[in-house]
Amino acid sequence: MNLTQAVLTVPSHMVPGGMPQPDLKQLGFNDFERCSIIDTTKLTRFEFSRPTKHATEAQFDEAIEQFIWFFAKGTPYVIDKTFADNTPDSHHRYYYTNNERVCEAIS
């Protein structure tokens, strides 16, 4: 399966000021958008799209782990991944909470 999109969501108050832009080449994507959701949830989303030709999920996982180091230790996050094949198992959600990483398939 080819990774086509990934979205990292974190609590806005855990995003440090002066946060550097992620290294898109290292992540395996060509486009990036950061947006803040200012409602009762107060979340910041980092949306990665248009994968590079040879991007892999393993490449993304390694690079996103380094990017997450910019946040405060223990920051809870959610990563939604979309894959090219559009089967029922083509969307995954990863949670990091209570110092544990959990994966689930979503539709």
Side-chain angles (χ1 to χ4, degrees), residues 8-11 13-14 71-78 95-98:
L8 168 67
T9 305
V10 297
H13 70 279
M14 303 297 272
F71 302 108
K73 183 176 178 159
T75 296
Y77 64 80
V78 175
Y95 297 94
Y96 180 80
T97 186
N98 297 326

Side-chain angles (χ1 to χ4, degrees), residues 14-88:
M14 303 297 272
V15 179
M19 180 91 175
Q21 179 169 327
D23 183 341
L24 294 178
K25 184 176 181 181
Q26 186 180 16
L27 287 158
F29 284 94
N30 289 307
D31 284 339
F32 160 76
E33 183 179 347
R34 174 181 168 173
C35 62
S36 294
I37 305 166
I38 306 299
D39 58 8
T40 58
T41 59
K42 295 181 181 151
L43 299 173
T44 297
R45 294 170 49 106
F46 298 87
E47 300 178 14
F48 305 95
S49 58
R50 289 191 45 237
T52 58
K53 187 174 182 179
H54 301 291
T56 66
E57 183 180 13
Q59 173 187 359
F60 175 81
D61 288 346
E62 185 177 317
I64 203 69
E65 183 177 333
Q66 291 178 359
F67 181 66
I68 288 171
W69 290 344
F70 287 111
F71 302 108
K73 183 176 178 159
T75 296
Y77 64 80
V78 175
I79 299 174
D80 291 327
K81 296 179 181 177
T82 305
F83 298 89
D85 64 353
N86 288 325
T87 63

Side-chain angles (χ1 to χ4, degrees), residues 15 43 84 91 94 99-100:
V15 179
L43 299 173
H91 290 66
Y94 297 84
N99 295 320
E100 226 176 290

